[in-house]
Structure formats: C-alpha cells, structure tokens
Amino acid sequence: MYSLKNYPPFLASEFPTERENSLFHIIPIPLGQSKGPEKEVRKGPSAILKASRKLEVFDGKSIPAETGILTLPPVNCRGRIEEILNRIADQVEDIFQQERIPVLLGGEHTISNGAFLAILRQIEDGAVNVGIVQIDAHGDLKESEEGSIYSNSCVMKRAVDMGFPIYQMGGRSLSSGEIDLRKERNIPYRDARELCGGSGVKEITLSPDFPDYIYLTIDVDGLDPSIIPGTNRPEPGGLHWYQTLNLIESLAERYRIIGFDIVETAPGKKDKISGYTAARLTYNIMGIIARHMDE
Ligand SMILES: [Mn+2]
C-alpha cells in the first residue's frame, strides 16, 4: 500500500482533477537504482505531487486542469529492473488504449524505457511512427554503465536500439563514445550552446522526416540548474524557463505529443524550488498539449 499523504493527487487542492475521462493520467514512478545518495531521486514523484498542491490553476494562457487530471498510484519499483519496466509499460499501454495522455513522473531517467516499450506494443505493422524528443544535458546514449544496460545513462541508446527516431535538445555533457554514436547513427540534435547561447532559440523544427507523433522525455537537468537545482547531475548553461515552454509549444504546433515524462527531479530536504518548479513544468506542458488537441 502507498500513502496518499506521500502521493496526493496532482493539484488536489483545486477543482476538476480526478474526474472521469481525464485527458491526463499521471503515473508516479519512484525509481532510484543507485545505492548511494543518488537514490534520493526516488523521492522526486512524491515531491512533485506534494508541491502541486500549491499550484494555481491558471498557467498564464489557459486552465489545463479543466481537461481533467487523474493521478494513479505509484508504480511498485521493487524487483528486477526488467519487471519494473514491464509494469510501467502495462500502465502506459492501458492509458494509450483509453486514448488518454500518459504523464510519467520520475524517478530516474530509466523509467522512460517503460514508456518506449508501451509505444512499441501499440505499433501494429512494424513501422515506428512515433519519434522521441529528449530534453537533457546528457546524451544518455551509453551502451551500459556499471554493468547495467538499464542505467539512466543508457535510456536513449535503448530507444535507438528499439528503432525509434530520436531528437536531442539541450545537450552539453557527452562522452566521446556518445558523440561517435551520434555521427554513426545520424542522430539529430540541437545542443545547449546553440539553443541557449546568445538570445536563445525559441522555436524548433525537427528533421523533415521526423514522425508526426512524438513522445517527449524531459530530464530536468536539461534546464539550467538555476531553474531546477535539485537533480543528480546539474550542468550549467541549460534551457531557461520561457525558452523551455516556447520550444515545447513550437513542437506542439507541428506535432502531436502523445505522452511525456519529467524525470531526475531530486530535491534535497531544504530545497523548496525544484519539486514545485517540476510540478509547474508538468502542469504547463499539459496546458500546451491541451491547447493544441483540436488542431
Ligand atoms: Mn537523462
């Protein structure tokens, strides 16, 4: 059993959450595989949900909560990682089948692999028609780390191996092996220096052949650590607040976002900013998606 005190429904303090036919279904996933202090990332989903109680419903443009927000119980993150990823995939698949939008709250970045698995299960004729757009300071393109192919540094390599077209945004700390893989596989990207330097890019055009349907995976370290400091691998020079929202809005204008995740939020005990900002980010992305649903 889990406690509602630690996992309150998103925006529980406000009105039309938890209603039937909610557009957004939130899955809290408290995964932290590390045995060291980095395992604190498993408290991220709870921090985001608790902080969401302080949100006001207007996001600056609309009231995303009017589309309905359902918060599911947290995924059981005990056992083998393959089993955990299957549990996540089952939940996400169920949401796709109801034609709703899954919102995964991590937890470490590895949880996205569960969503990728669910997307693959939806594909009938073998042609992958969903691309994955990643906002992240890192490549996460390693084959394995510390003996595991399911480390958070490997999550996008698994996506590539599954056959997904991917697009990387905000990168600024990559290994030479990851740079080689980008070249080898022709992986498109816009790194932070190009996106965030100077006056800052506000709109993004993905590769011409990128699929119309996209899944968005947001590692909060893709944003500048002045925006969300509470994360395990903070890296200077990231995306700023309105830049992040503008870039995502520009994606929503051209592509259909079928689901998204916010991962790697790891606020320390005295950190009052990171959980709240991740909740605000989650909520404002719901707003962006809701406003572009009918187009
Ligand atoms: Mn990452």
Side-chain angles (χ1 to χ4, degrees), residues 138-197:
H138 309 94
D140 293 354
L141 288 169
K142 293 182 180 156
E143 182 55 35
S144 71
E145 193 165 72
E146 292 172 359
S148 172
I149 61 163
Y150 293 111
S151 140
N152 54 2
S153 309
C154 310
V155 60
M156 297 309 290
K157 177 60 168 56
R158 297 290 80 76
V160 172
D161 289 349
M162 288 164 122
F164 285 105
I166 69 167
Y167 194 101
Q168 304 194 299
M169 285 161 55
R172 53 201 187 276
S173 179
L174 284 92
S175 71
S176 48
E178 290 177 309
I179 299 285
D180 290 346
L181 190 84
R182 272 182 172 180
K183 282 188 198 134
E184 220 174 86
R185 303 292 177 96
N186 252 326
I187 295 169
Y189 61 88
R190 296 286 289 279
D191 281 344
R193 178 175 283 277
E194 191 195 344
L195 280 182
C196 314

Short mmCIF file of all heavy atoms in Angstrom, two decimals, residues 138-197:
data_model
loop_
_atom_site.label_atom_id
_atom_site.label_comp_id
_atom_site.label_asym_id
_atom_site.label_seq_id
_atom_site.Cartn_x
_atom_site.Cartn_y
_atom_site.Cartn_z
N HIS A 138 22.54 15.62 -20.95
CA HIS A 138 23.41 14.50 -21.30
C HIS A 138 22.85 13.74 -22.51
O HIS A 138 21.68 13.89 -22.84
CB HIS A 138 23.54 13.56 -20.09
CG HIS A 138 23.91 14.30 -18.83
ND1 HIS A 138 22.97 14.74 -17.93
CD2 HIS A 138 25.12 14.70 -18.36
CE1 HIS A 138 23.58 15.38 -16.94
NE2 HIS A 138 24.89 15.37 -17.18
N GLY A 139 23.70 12.91 -23.08
CA GLY A 139 23.25 12.13 -24.24
C GLY A 139 22.43 10.92 -23.84
O GLY A 139 21.50 10.54 -24.52
N ASP A 140 22.78 10.32 -22.72
CA ASP A 140 22.15 9.07 -22.28
C ASP A 140 22.19 8.02 -23.39
O ASP A 140 21.26 7.25 -23.59
CB ASP A 140 20.69 9.29 -21.83
CG ASP A 140 20.60 10.12 -20.55
OD1 ASP A 140 21.66 10.43 -19.95
OD2 ASP A 140 19.48 10.46 -20.14
N LEU A 141 23.34 8.01 -24.10
CA LEU A 141 23.49 7.12 -25.25
C LEU A 141 24.51 6.01 -24.98
O LEU A 141 25.03 5.39 -25.91
CB LEU A 141 23.94 7.92 -26.48
CG LEU A 141 22.88 8.84 -27.13
CD1 LEU A 141 23.54 9.76 -28.16
CD2 LEU A 141 21.78 8.02 -27.79
N LYS A 142 24.82 5.78 -23.70
CA LYS A 142 25.81 4.75 -23.40
C LYS A 142 25.22 3.35 -23.55
O LYS A 142 24.04 3.15 -23.25
CB LYS A 142 26.35 4.94 -21.98
CG LYS A 142 27.16 6.23 -21.88
CD LYS A 142 27.75 6.45 -20.52
CE LYS A 142 28.53 7.78 -20.53
NZ LYS A 142 28.67 8.36 -19.20
N GLU A 143 26.06 2.44 -24.00
CA GLU A 143 25.59 1.05 -24.16
C GLU A 143 25.24 0.45 -22.81
O GLU A 143 24.21 -0.19 -22.64
CB GLU A 143 26.67 0.23 -24.88
CG GLU A 143 26.29 -1.21 -25.15
CD GLU A 143 24.98 -1.35 -25.94
OE1 GLU A 143 24.71 -0.50 -26.81
OE2 GLU A 143 24.23 -2.31 -25.67
N SER A 144 26.13 0.67 -21.82
CA SER A 144 25.84 0.19 -20.47
C SER A 144 26.64 1.02 -19.49
O SER A 144 27.60 1.70 -19.87
CB SER A 144 26.17 -1.29 -20.31
OG SER A 144 27.58 -1.46 -20.31
N GLU A 145 26.24 1.02 -18.24
CA GLU A 145 27.02 1.68 -17.20
C GLU A 145 26.95 0.85 -15.93
O GLU A 145 25.87 0.39 -15.54
CB GLU A 145 26.51 3.10 -16.96
CG GLU A 145 27.52 3.91 -16.13
CD GLU A 145 27.25 5.41 -16.17
OE1 GLU A 145 26.27 5.85 -15.55
OE2 GLU A 145 28.03 6.12 -16.82
N GLU A 146 28.09 0.69 -15.29
CA GLU A 146 28.19 -0.13 -14.09
C GLU A 146 27.52 -1.48 -14.28
O GLU A 146 26.76 -1.95 -13.43
CB GLU A 146 27.62 0.62 -12.89
CG GLU A 146 28.50 1.81 -12.51
CD GLU A 146 27.89 2.70 -11.44
OE1 GLU A 146 26.78 2.40 -10.99
OE2 GLU A 146 28.55 3.69 -11.07
N GLY A 147 27.76 -2.07 -15.45
CA GLY A 147 27.28 -3.42 -15.72
C GLY A 147 25.80 -3.52 -16.07
O GLY A 147 25.28 -4.61 -16.26
N SER A 148 25.10 -2.40 -16.17
CA SER A 148 23.68 -2.48 -16.49
C SER A 148 23.36 -1.72 -17.77
O SER A 148 23.84 -0.59 -17.98
CB SER A 148 22.84 -1.88 -15.35
OG SER A 148 21.49 -1.78 -15.74
N ILE A 149 22.53 -2.34 -18.62
CA ILE A 149 22.08 -1.62 -19.82
C ILE A 149 20.85 -0.76 -19.48
O ILE A 149 20.34 -0.06 -20.31
CB ILE A 149 21.76 -2.57 -20.99
CG1 ILE A 149 20.65 -3.55 -20.62
CG2 ILE A 149 23.01 -3.31 -21.46
CD1 ILE A 149 20.01 -4.24 -21.83
N TYR A 150 20.39 -0.86 -18.23
CA TYR A 150 19.24 -0.04 -17.80
C TYR A 150 19.65 1.00 -16.77
O TYR A 150 18.93 1.28 -15.82
CB TYR A 150 18.12 -0.94 -17.27
CG TYR A 150 17.51 -1.78 -18.35
CD1 TYR A 150 17.67 -3.16 -18.37
CD2 TYR A 150 16.78 -1.19 -19.38
CE1 TYR A 150 17.12 -3.94 -19.37
CE2 TYR A 150 16.23 -1.96 -20.40
CZ TYR A 150 16.41 -3.32 -20.38
OH TYR A 150 15.86 -4.08 -21.39
N SER A 151 20.84 1.59 -16.97
CA SER A 151 21.24 2.74 -16.16
C SER A 151 20.60 3.98 -16.79
O SER A 151 20.20 3.96 -17.96
CB SER A 151 22.76 2.84 -16.16
OG SER A 151 23.16 4.19 -16.27
N ASN A 152 20.52 5.06 -16.02
CA ASN A 152 19.92 6.28 -16.60
C ASN A 152 20.78 6.90 -17.71
O ASN A 152 20.28 7.72 -18.46
CB ASN A 152 19.58 7.31 -15.50
CG ASN A 152 20.77 7.63 -14.63
OD1 ASN A 152 21.87 7.12 -14.85
ND2 ASN A 152 20.56 8.46 -13.64
N SER A 153 22.04 6.48 -17.82
CA SER A 153 22.89 6.99 -18.91
C SER A 153 22.70 6.22 -20.21
O SER A 153 23.35 6.52 -21.21
CB SER A 153 24.37 6.85 -18.53
OG SER A 153 24.60 7.41 -17.28
N CYS A 154 21.82 5.22 -20.19
CA CYS A 154 21.66 4.35 -21.36
C CYS A 154 20.27 4.46 -21.96
O CYS A 154 19.96 3.81 -22.96
CB CYS A 154 21.87 2.89 -20.95
SG CYS A 154 23.37 2.60 -20.01
N VAL A 155 19.41 5.29 -21.38
CA VAL A 155 17.99 5.26 -21.73
C VAL A 155 17.74 5.57 -23.21
O VAL A 155 16.90 4.93 -23.86
CB VAL A 155 17.17 6.17 -20.78
CG1 VAL A 155 17.63 7.60 -20.84
CG2 VAL A 155 15.69 6.09 -21.06
N MET A 156 18.51 6.49 -23.79
CA MET A 156 18.26 6.83 -25.19
C MET A 156 18.94 5.85 -26.14
O MET A 156 18.51 5.70 -27.28
CB MET A 156 18.69 8.27 -25.48
CG MET A 156 17.92 9.32 -24.70
SD MET A 156 16.09 9.16 -24.79
CE MET A 156 15.80 9.63 -26.49
N LYS A 157 20.00 5.18 -25.67
CA LYS A 157 20.60 4.12 -26.50
C LYS A 157 19.59 2.99 -26.66
O LYS A 157 19.44 2.41 -27.74
CB LYS A 157 21.91 3.62 -25.88
CG LYS A 157 22.57 2.45 -26.63
CD LYS A 157 22.92 2.83 -28.08
CE LYS A 157 23.81 1.85 -28.81
NZ LYS A 157 23.40 0.49 -28.90
N ARG A 158 18.87 2.70 -25.58
CA ARG A 158 17.82 1.67 -25.67
C ARG A 158 16.74 2.10 -26.68
O ARG A 158 16.23 1.29 -27.45
CB ARG A 158 17.17 1.41 -24.30
CG ARG A 158 18.09 0.87 -23.22
CD ARG A 158 18.54 -0.57 -23.44
NE ARG A 158 19.65 -0.70 -24.39
CZ ARG A 158 20.92 -0.41 -24.12
NH1 ARG A 158 21.28 -0.03 -22.93
NH2 ARG A 158 21.85 -0.55 -25.06
N ALA A 159 16.40 3.40 -26.67
CA ALA A 159 15.40 3.90 -27.62
C ALA A 159 15.88 3.70 -29.06
O ALA A 159 15.12 3.26 -29.93
CB ALA A 159 15.10 5.38 -27.36
N VAL A 160 17.15 4.03 -29.30
CA VAL A 160 17.73 3.85 -30.64
C VAL A 160 17.70 2.36 -31.01
O VAL A 160 17.29 1.98 -32.11
CB VAL A 160 19.18 4.40 -30.68
CG1 VAL A 160 19.87 4.03 -31.99
CG2 VAL A 160 19.18 5.91 -30.47
N ASP A 161 18.08 1.51 -30.07
CA ASP A 161 18.08 0.06 -30.32
C ASP A 161 16.67 -0.45 -30.63
O ASP A 161 16.50 -1.42 -31.37
CB ASP A 161 18.61 -0.71 -29.10
CG ASP A 161 20.11 -0.51 -28.90
OD1 ASP A 161 20.76 0.04 -29.82
OD2 ASP A 161 20.63 -0.90 -27.83
N MET A 162 15.65 0.18 -30.03
CA MET A 162 14.27 -0.25 -30.27
C MET A 162 13.75 0.25 -31.63
O MET A 162 12.65 -0.08 -32.03
CB MET A 162 13.36 0.31 -29.17
CG MET A 162 13.54 -0.36 -27.81
SD MET A 162 12.80 0.67 -26.50
CE MET A 162 11.63 -0.47 -25.79
N GLY A 163 14.55 1.08 -32.30
CA GLY A 163 14.18 1.54 -33.63
C GLY A 163 13.51 2.90 -33.67
O GLY A 163 13.01 3.34 -34.71
N PHE A 164 13.50 3.61 -32.54
CA PHE A 164 12.87 4.94 -32.53
C PHE A 164 13.77 5.99 -33.16
O PHE A 164 14.96 6.07 -32.84
CB PHE A 164 12.60 5.39 -31.09
CG PHE A 164 11.44 4.70 -30.44
CD1 PHE A 164 11.65 3.72 -29.48
CD2 PHE A 164 10.14 5.03 -30.79
CE1 PHE A 164 10.58 3.09 -28.86
CE2 PHE A 164 9.06 4.40 -30.17
CZ PHE A 164 9.27 3.42 -29.21
N PRO A 165 13.19 6.86 -33.99
CA PRO A 165 13.91 8.08 -34.34
C PRO A 165 13.96 8.96 -33.08
O PRO A 165 12.96 9.06 -32.37
CB PRO A 165 13.03 8.75 -35.40
CG PRO A 165 11.95 7.77 -35.74
CD PRO A 165 11.86 6.79 -34.61
N ILE A 166 15.11 9.53 -32.76
CA ILE A 166 15.18 10.41 -31.59
C ILE A 166 15.74 11.77 -32.01
O ILE A 166 16.38 11.91 -33.06
CB ILE A 166 16.04 9.82 -30.45
CG1 ILE A 166 17.53 9.76 -30.82
CG2 ILE A 166 15.55 8.43 -30.05
CD1 ILE A 166 18.44 9.48 -29.62
N TYR A 167 15.45 12.77 -31.18
CA TYR A 167 15.96 14.12 -31.40
C TYR A 167 16.38 14.68 -30.05
O TYR A 167 15.59 14.66 -29.11
CB TYR A 167 14.87 15.00 -32.03
CG TYR A 167 15.40 16.30 -32.61
CD1 TYR A 167 15.60 16.44 -33.97
CD2 TYR A 167 15.72 17.37 -31.78
CE1 TYR A 167 16.09 17.62 -34.51
CE2 TYR A 167 16.22 18.56 -32.30
CZ TYR A 167 16.40 18.68 -33.67
OH TYR A 167 16.90 19.85 -34.19
N GLN A 168 17.64 15.11 -29.93
CA GLN A 168 18.17 15.55 -28.63
C GLN A 168 18.27 17.07 -28.55
O GLN A 168 18.79 17.71 -29.46
CB GLN A 168 19.56 14.93 -28.41
CG GLN A 168 19.55 13.41 -28.52
CD GLN A 168 20.82 12.78 -27.98
OE1 GLN A 168 21.91 13.03 -28.47
NE2 GLN A 168 20.67 11.93 -26.96
N MET A 169 17.80 17.62 -27.44
CA MET A 169 17.87 19.07 -27.23
C MET A 169 18.50 19.40 -25.87
O MET A 169 18.16 18.78 -24.87
CB MET A 169 16.44 19.66 -27.26
CG MET A 169 15.87 19.73 -28.66
SD MET A 169 14.07 19.89 -28.68
CE MET A 169 13.84 21.32 -27.68
N GLY A 170 19.38 20.39 -25.86
CA GLY A 170 19.93 20.89 -24.60
C GLY A 170 21.20 20.20 -24.14
O GLY A 170 21.67 20.45 -23.02
N GLY A 171 21.78 19.34 -24.97
CA GLY A 171 22.98 18.58 -24.59
C GLY A 171 24.17 19.49 -24.34
O GLY A 171 24.37 20.50 -25.02
N ARG A 172 24.94 19.17 -23.31
CA ARG A 172 26.16 19.93 -23.03
C ARG A 172 27.16 19.13 -22.23
O ARG A 172 28.15 19.67 -21.73
CB ARG A 172 25.83 21.25 -22.34
CG ARG A 172 24.98 21.11 -21.08
CD ARG A 172 24.30 22.46 -20.78
NE ARG A 172 23.61 22.48 -19.51
CZ ARG A 172 22.36 22.03 -19.32
NH1 ARG A 172 21.68 21.49 -20.33
NH2 ARG A 172 21.79 22.10 -18.14
N SER A 173 26.94 17.84 -22.06
CA SER A 173 27.91 17.00 -21.36
C SER A 173 27.78 15.58 -21.92
O SER A 173 26.91 14.82 -21.51
CB SER A 173 27.62 17.03 -19.86
OG SER A 173 28.53 16.21 -19.17
N LEU A 174 28.62 15.28 -22.91
CA LEU A 174 28.53 13.97 -23.56
C LEU A 174 29.90 13.30 -23.59
O LEU A 174 30.93 13.98 -23.67
CB LEU A 174 28.03 14.12 -25.01
CG LEU A 174 26.53 14.39 -25.18
CD1 LEU A 174 26.26 15.88 -25.24
CD2 LEU A 174 26.00 13.71 -26.44
N SER A 175 29.92 11.98 -23.54
CA SER A 175 31.18 11.25 -23.65
C SER A 175 31.58 11.17 -25.12
O SER A 175 30.75 11.38 -26.01
CB SER A 175 31.00 9.84 -23.09
OG SER A 175 30.19 9.08 -23.97
N SER A 176 32.85 10.86 -25.36
CA SER A 176 33.29 10.77 -26.77
C SER A 176 32.58 9.61 -27.46
O SER A 176 32.28 9.69 -28.65
CB SER A 176 34.81 10.64 -26.86
OG SER A 176 35.27 9.65 -25.98
N GLY A 177 32.28 8.55 -26.71
CA GLY A 177 31.54 7.43 -27.30
C GLY A 177 30.14 7.87 -27.76
O GLY A 177 29.64 7.42 -28.80
N GLU A 178 29.53 8.76 -26.98
CA GLU A 178 28.20 9.24 -27.35
C GLU A 178 28.25 10.13 -28.60
O GLU A 178 27.37 10.06 -29.46
CB GLU A 178 27.58 9.99 -26.17
CG GLU A 178 27.21 9.06 -25.02
CD GLU A 178 26.66 9.79 -23.80
OE1 GLU A 178 27.31 10.76 -23.34
OE2 GLU A 178 25.59 9.39 -23.30
N ILE A 179 29.31 10.94 -28.67
CA ILE A 179 29.49 11.78 -29.87
C ILE A 179 29.67 10.89 -31.10
O ILE A 179 29.07 11.13 -32.16
CB ILE A 179 30.73 12.71 -29.70
CG1 ILE A 179 30.54 13.64 -28.49
CG2 ILE A 179 31.03 13.47 -30.96
CD1 ILE A 179 29.61 14.79 -28.67
N ASP A 180 30.45 9.83 -30.94
CA ASP A 180 30.67 8.88 -32.06
C ASP A 180 29.35 8.25 -32.49
O ASP A 180 29.06 8.11 -33.67
CB ASP A 180 31.65 7.78 -31.65
CG ASP A 180 33.07 8.31 -31.49
OD1 ASP A 180 33.33 9.45 -31.95
OD2 ASP A 180 33.91 7.60 -30.89
N LEU A 181 28.54 7.85 -31.50
CA LEU A 181 27.28 7.19 -31.83
C LEU A 181 26.33 8.13 -32.58
O LEU A 181 25.65 7.74 -33.51
CB LEU A 181 26.58 6.66 -30.56
CG LEU A 181 25.40 5.75 -30.89
CD1 LEU A 181 25.84 4.32 -31.15
CD2 LEU A 181 24.32 5.80 -29.81
N ARG A 182 26.32 9.40 -32.14
CA ARG A 182 25.50 10.38 -32.86
C ARG A 182 25.87 10.42 -34.35
O ARG A 182 24.99 10.46 -35.20
CB ARG A 182 25.74 11.77 -32.26
CG ARG A 182 24.85 12.14 -31.11
CD ARG A 182 25.20 13.56 -30.71
NE ARG A 182 24.29 14.10 -29.72
CZ ARG A 182 24.42 15.34 -29.22
NH1 ARG A 182 25.42 16.12 -29.62
NH2 ARG A 182 23.54 15.79 -28.35
N LYS A 183 27.18 10.44 -34.61
CA LYS A 183 27.65 10.51 -36.00
C LYS A 183 27.27 9.24 -36.75
O LYS A 183 26.70 9.28 -37.84
CB LYS A 183 29.16 10.70 -36.04
CG LYS A 183 29.58 12.13 -35.75
CD LYS A 183 31.08 12.32 -35.99
CE LYS A 183 31.56 13.58 -35.28
NZ LYS A 183 32.80 13.38 -34.51
N GLU A 184 27.60 8.12 -36.11
CA GLU A 184 27.37 6.81 -36.71
C GLU A 184 25.90 6.60 -37.10
O GLU A 184 25.59 6.08 -38.16
CB GLU A 184 27.72 5.79 -35.63
CG GLU A 184 28.45 4.55 -36.07
CD GLU A 184 28.81 3.77 -34.79
OE1 GLU A 184 27.95 3.00 -34.34
OE2 GLU A 184 29.93 3.99 -34.26
N ARG A 185 24.99 6.99 -36.21
CA ARG A 185 23.56 6.76 -36.42
C ARG A 185 22.83 7.97 -36.97
O ARG A 185 21.60 7.95 -37.07
CB ARG A 185 22.89 6.33 -35.11
CG ARG A 185 23.47 5.11 -34.45
CD ARG A 185 23.19 3.86 -35.28
NE ARG A 185 23.83 2.72 -34.65
CZ ARG A 185 23.18 1.89 -33.83
NH1 ARG A 185 21.91 2.06 -33.56
NH2 ARG A 185 23.82 0.87 -33.29
N ASN A 186 23.59 9.05 -37.24
CA ASN A 186 22.94 10.25 -37.76
C ASN A 186 21.84 10.78 -36.84
O ASN A 186 20.75 11.12 -37.30
CB ASN A 186 22.32 9.94 -39.12
CG ASN A 186 23.11 10.59 -40.22
OD1 ASN A 186 23.65 11.69 -40.01
ND2 ASN A 186 23.20 9.93 -41.36
N ILE A 187 22.11 10.81 -35.56
CA ILE A 187 21.11 11.27 -34.59
C ILE A 187 21.05 12.80 -34.62
O ILE A 187 22.05 13.47 -34.42
CB ILE A 187 21.48 10.77 -33.17
CG1 ILE A 187 21.39 9.23 -33.12
CG2 ILE A 187 20.56 11.39 -32.12
CD1 ILE A 187 21.97 8.61 -31.87
N PRO A 188 19.85 13.35 -34.88
CA PRO A 188 19.75 14.81 -34.93
C PRO A 188 19.72 15.41 -33.53
O PRO A 188 19.21 14.80 -32.59
CB PRO A 188 18.43 15.05 -35.65
CG PRO A 188 17.63 13.82 -35.41
CD PRO A 188 18.58 12.69 -35.18
N TYR A 189 20.26 16.62 -33.39
CA TYR A 189 20.32 17.26 -32.06
C TYR A 189 20.46 18.76 -32.21
O TYR A 189 20.89 19.26 -33.26
CB TYR A 189 21.49 16.70 -31.25
CG TYR A 189 22.84 16.94 -31.90
CD1 TYR A 189 23.55 18.11 -31.65
CD2 TYR A 189 23.38 16.00 -32.79
CE1 TYR A 189 24.77 18.34 -32.27
CE2 TYR A 189 24.60 16.23 -33.40
CZ TYR A 189 25.29 17.40 -33.14
OH TYR A 189 26.49 17.64 -33.76
N ARG A 190 20.08 19.48 -31.17
CA ARG A 190 20.42 20.90 -31.03
C ARG A 190 20.98 21.04 -29.62
O ARG A 190 20.23 20.95 -28.64
CB ARG A 190 19.18 21.80 -31.17
CG ARG A 190 18.51 21.78 -32.54
CD ARG A 190 19.28 22.53 -33.63
NE ARG A 190 19.27 23.98 -33.51
CZ ARG A 190 18.28 24.76 -33.91
NH1 ARG A 190 17.19 24.26 -34.44
NH2 ARG A 190 18.37 26.08 -33.78
N ASP A 191 22.28 21.19 -29.50
CA ASP A 191 22.90 21.25 -28.17
C ASP A 191 22.69 22.61 -27.52
O ASP A 191 22.30 23.58 -28.16
CB ASP A 191 24.39 20.92 -28.28
CG ASP A 191 24.64 19.41 -28.38
OD1 ASP A 191 23.71 18.64 -28.05
OD2 ASP A 191 25.74 19.01 -28.78
N ALA A 192 22.98 22.65 -26.21
CA ALA A 192 22.66 23.84 -25.41
C ALA A 192 23.38 25.10 -25.90
O ALA A 192 22.80 26.17 -25.91
CB ALA A 192 22.98 23.58 -23.95
N ARG A 193 24.63 24.94 -26.32
CA ARG A 193 25.36 26.13 -26.76
C ARG A 193 24.63 26.84 -27.89
O ARG A 193 24.52 28.05 -27.93
CB ARG A 193 26.78 25.75 -27.20
CG ARG A 193 27.60 26.91 -27.71
CD ARG A 193 29.02 26.48 -28.01
NE ARG A 193 29.83 26.31 -26.83
CZ ARG A 193 30.46 27.31 -26.19
NH1 ARG A 193 30.37 28.53 -26.64
NH2 ARG A 193 31.16 27.09 -25.11
N GLU A 194 24.09 26.03 -28.80
CA GLU A 194 23.38 26.60 -29.94
C GLU A 194 21.99 27.10 -29.52
O GLU A 194 21.54 28.16 -29.95
CB GLU A 194 23.26 25.52 -31.02
CG GLU A 194 22.78 26.07 -32.34
CD GLU A 194 22.31 24.98 -33.29
OE1 GLU A 194 22.64 23.80 -33.07
OE2 GLU A 194 21.59 25.32 -34.24
N LEU A 195 21.31 26.31 -28.67
CA LEU A 195 19.94 26.68 -28.28
C LEU A 195 19.89 27.84 -27.30
O LEU A 195 19.00 28.69 -27.37
CB LEU A 195 19.24 25.49 -27.59
CG LEU A 195 18.65 24.37 -28.43
CD1 LEU A 195 18.00 23.35 -27.51
CD2 LEU A 195 17.63 24.90 -29.42
N CYS A 196 20.83 27.84 -26.35
CA CYS A 196 20.72 28.75 -25.20
C CYS A 196 21.71 29.90 -25.26
O CYS A 196 21.55 30.88 -24.53
CB CYS A 196 20.95 28.00 -23.89
SG CYS A 196 20.05 26.46 -23.78
N GLY A 197 22.75 29.80 -26.06
CA GLY A 197 23.70 30.89 -26.17
C GLY A 197 23.05 32.08 -26.87
O GLY A 197 21.99 31.94 -27.48
#
